[in-house]
Amino acid sequence: MKVSGLNLQLEGLQQGDPLAPGYYQIGSQKYYYDGTHFWLTVGGQSVQAFFNRQTAPSQLSISPGDNLKITLGFSYTGPVVSNAQAYFGWGYFGALGNWAPTQEIWVTFQIPANQSSTPVQVQQSYTFTLPASGLATGLADILVQVNSGSPDVGQHDLAYNQALNIIGVTPSITNFTILSFAKA
Amino acid sequence: MVLDIKIGALTLTKQNFTVGDTVKVVASFSYTVGVNTTIKINAGPYYTNVFGRNIIQACVGSTSVQLTATQTPVSKQVTINFPLTPKASGGMDDGTYGLMVWVDGSSFSASTQDWAAQDNLLVVSGNPASMWDTLTGMLPMLLLFMLMGMMMPMMQGMTQSFGGTQQGGQR
């Protein structure tokens, strides 16, 4: 069994006034903020908006039964935050930007106080064990988030598109060639 | 000294076979898979028409191949035997056929690389002539005889008629 790791660095978190729920215009697009998440209406469907979707810097090959360790990090300045929520998930972004996780988890953690002017690095990790069967071969995405807490740290997310190359139960076959043929 | 170096895919050349022969094909491919698994690989002759490639099912052979889990591509070589079943047993006519090798369940689309084919590789002969083949072979000759049988009396009649006028002229 293999353990593979991925590190995702969120933008720096700083304490400030929490955003009030309501509609917000960002660029040409209108979003609804419910106090925790931003939502976008696409074709009459409400889809959670993840603003920070990036092309994965590298691709990780992983197989059924392997362990996948995802580490998120951010720099922080502010008071101690209790009950902050960290989200780890891998799955697939749909055509509308909708997130369909295959495995996901919310983890409660504490952000230590940092009153100095120099931000400190905070990290959180979670290790998934991929299912041993029924895993389709193909590329998959990763999403991490940090939000909530007391005081509230706001909503921060980062996704890597096609970060995982799932070597699933279906073989991927290439370069099929006939080398020779003759009477047996 | 002349160096003759060719780089690229091997081009296969056509070969002669007799119905009833068994053909041995060697193919290769690369694969990755997350768990140990077994796949089935088929091989057989095909002909082409307006609908595309048509595999002659009575001549298809197959083999099972064990694939060990690997995340980096591994090359694999396989051998598949298939029979050239005669026409009388539901197989193939004499003629020239293509050769196809494929992973069972392949969609045969241009984007997938789990199959390979090349036209006009198998030149097959040796099917025994059937009664129908004999009849169809004799049919043109029979038609000619029938036509001659119809024409002869007519021509004879015309000759006789022409001869009568001559006789009248002598009078």
Side-chain angles (χ1 to χ4, degrees):
Chain A
M1 192 179 291
K2 196 181 76 172
V3 179
S4 304
L6 270 177
N7 294 303
L8 292 92
Q9 182 67 28
L10 293 164
E11 288 170 11
L13 270 63
Q14 277 190 322
Q15 287 296 340
D17 291 332
L19 210 57
Y23 284 95
Y24 290 86
Q25 185 85 25
I26 302 171
S28 59
Q29 192 64 54
K30 199 174 184 180
Y31 297 90
Y32 179 72
Y33 180 64
D34 65 4
T36 310
H37 301 110
F38 281 91
W39 299 87
L40 176 67
T41 304
V42 182
Q45 234 186 321
S46 204
V47 172
Q48 191 178 345
F50 297 104
F51 298 110
N52 206 359
R53 280 177 66 185
Q54 298 178 8
T55 303
S58 62
Q59 216 166 53
L60 193 68
S61 291
I62 197 157
S63 298
D66 280 353
N67 288 329
L68 169 66
K69 183 179 181 184
I70 302 176
T71 302
L72 66 81
F74 55 88
S75 55
Y76 179 72
T77 306
V80 62
V81 177
S82 57
N83 296 322
Q85 299 289 305
Y87 173 90
F88 302 88
W90 73 268
Y92 305 90
F93 281 105
L96 298 178
N98 51 310
W99 174 237
T102 302
Q103 288 184 299
E104 63 177 345
I105 194 161
W106 283 99
V107 174
T108 303
F109 71 110
Q110 180 170 298
I111 305 173
N114 174 31
Q115 304 295 2
S116 75
S117 56
T118 311
V120 293
Q121 182 71 11
V122 179
Q123 287 195 339
Q124 274 290 296
S125 297
Y126 188 80
T127 302
F128 292 107
T129 299
L130 270 65
S133 61
L135 209 56
T137 296
L139 300 174
D141 312 315
I142 284 206
L143 174 66
V144 296
Q145 300 177 71
V146 170
N147 65 25
S148 304
S150 177
D152 195 338
V153 293
Q155 168 74 18
H156 306 266
D157 54 64
L158 175 61
Y160 279 165
N161 294 325
Q162 303 190 336
L164 298 178
N165 178 26
I166 307 284
I167 313 287
V169 294
T170 315
S172 171
I173 290 176
T174 55
N175 300 325
F176 211 102
T177 311
I178 302 172
L179 297 176
S180 67
F181 68 103
K183 186 176 169 182
Chain B
M1 186 173 31
V2 177
L3 287 174
D4 184 15
I5 300 171
K6 288 173 184 166
I7 297 173
L10 288 172
T11 306
L12 302 165
T13 51
K14 65 170 71 169
Q15 292 183 41
N16 295 317
F17 295 92
T18 307
V19 284
D21 284 351
T22 298
V23 180
K24 180 174 119 179
V25 188
V26 181
S28 74
F29 59 89
S30 297
Y31 77 92
T32 55
V33 69
V35 293
N36 293 345
T37 191
T38 303
I39 59 168
K40 186 176 161 191
I41 295 185
N42 304 314
Y46 67 88
Y47 63 92
T48 311
N49 60 15
V50 289
F51 300 109
R53 294 188 179 97
N54 299 273
I55 294 159
I56 301 167
Q57 292 298 336
C59 302
V60 171
S62 62
T63 190
S64 291
V65 182
Q66 300 256 332
L67 303 182
T68 309
T70 173
Q71 292 183 351
T72 51
V74 168
S75 186
K76 190 91 178 173
Q77 195 164 305
V78 289
T79 301
I80 312 112
N81 290 336
F82 66 87
L84 296 178
T85 309
K87 165 97 171 163
S89 307
M92 63 208 311
D93 273 320
D94 290 355
T96 304
Y97 295 86
L99 173 61
M100 183 182 281
V101 184
W102 70 98
V103 176
D104 202 48
S106 172
S107 62
F108 299 112
S109 73
S111 59
T112 57
Q113 296 179 36
D114 56 0
W115 62 281
Q118 190 174 321
D119 292 346
N120 303 323
L121 282 182
L122 310 169
V123 182
V124 179
S125 60
N127 270 302
S130 65
M131 184 64 80
W132 175 250
D133 290 338
T134 312
L135 275 174
T136 51
M138 290 171 64
L139 203 59
M141 197 171 285
L142 283 170
L143 283 170
L144 188 67
F145 282 137
M146 282 171 67
L147 199 64
M148 283 174 69
M150 286 165 64
M151 292 292 284
M152 286 297 279
M154 287 169 67
M155 285 174 71
Q156 211 167 12
M158 280 171 70
T159 312
Q160 279 171 358
S161 168
F162 185 65
T165 310
Q166 278 181 326
Q167 281 168 3
Q170 283 174 348
R171 245 185 274 163

